[in-house]
Amino acid sequence: TADTYTSYGQGWAHLSNTPFRLYKRWVHEGGIATPLVVSWPNGGLAAGDIVHAPHQLTDVTPTLLAATGVPALTERAGHALPPHPGVSMLDALRGGDAVDHDLFWEHIGNCAMRRGDLKLVREEGQDWELYDLAVDRSEQHDLAAERPEVVAELTAAWQVWADGVGPDL
């Protein structure tokens, strides 16, 4: 019940995500950066390597399909299925190059997208912020005012994605 709910609170949530900004309600790095541990002894993975290429949950299914050689479903019960979002991580996990692809998020009105090292992020009701994660992974230096053309480009890409996945984003 509501009177027995316990949590360690906002202060501890911020601390547990240090050095990243915010936590699991937001799409700043503190809310989305999560390690993934992968083990497959006979899968040809680069043993003990750390892959730094960014991926997200939508990349897990394509990775599992590639690893097992199972084709993605294209129809079910006579109805065409949309292509699965995401890309396989398998080449990167085997020591090769990661597939370069845009990443998108929306969670309770908080929005973000990442293209390469550039990340566009917005808290609900606020202006877009822009960060270069190669030099500012903790999102402390908003570049939006300095690079409005990049903000416009990434905002347009985010909106195309949002329009494709849900009517209310």
Side-chain angles (χ1 to χ4, degrees):
T1 64
D3 63 338
T4 62
Y5 175 78
T6 60
S7 174
Y8 62 22
Q10 291 181 344
W12 285 108
H14 282 289
L15 180 65
S16 69
N17 285 333
T18 298
F20 300 135
R21 187 168 164 206
L22 298 174
Y23 48 92
K24 293 296 178 203
R25 180 184 185 276
W26 287 273
V27 291
H28 286 79
E29 289 297 280
I32 62 168
T34 305
L36 172 66
V37 178
V38 178
S39 176
W40 184 17
N42 296 324
L45 304 184
D49 283 1
I50 296 175
V51 176
H52 293 279
H55 288 278
Q56 65 188 67
L57 187 59
T58 57
D59 298 332
V60 172
T61 296
T63 303
L64 294 174
L65 292 173
T68 59
V70 174
L73 290 176
T74 57
E75 68 88 20
R76 183 175 180 161
H79 299 282
L81 297 174
H84 195 286
V87 301
S88 174
M89 299 179 276
L90 195 55
D91 288 343
L93 293 173
R94 288 181 168 158
D97 292 330
V99 175
D100 191 25
H101 65 300
D102 292 343
L103 306 174
F104 299 94
W105 296 268
E106 188 284 332
H107 179 63
I108 59 175
N110 300 307
C111 310
M113 86 159 285
R114 180 171 176 168
R115 178 174 287 164
D117 289 324
L118 294 176
K119 183 176 175 194
L120 184 73
V121 63
R122 178 183 73 195
E123 290 183 53
E124 184 176 27
Q126 303 296 314
D127 291 333
W128 286 105
E129 302 165 8
L130 179 68
Y131 299 98
D132 182 347
L133 298 183
V135 296
D136 184 20
R137 182 87 193 274
S138 58
E139 300 168 318
Q140 298 299 303
H141 306 287
D142 182 4
L143 303 172
E146 299 169 35
R147 301 182 68 188
E149 72 288 348
V150 174
V151 172
E153 176 186 340
L154 297 181
T155 299
W158 185 89
Q159 193 61 57
V160 167
W161 169 81
D163 291 344
V165 297
D168 297 326
L169 296 185

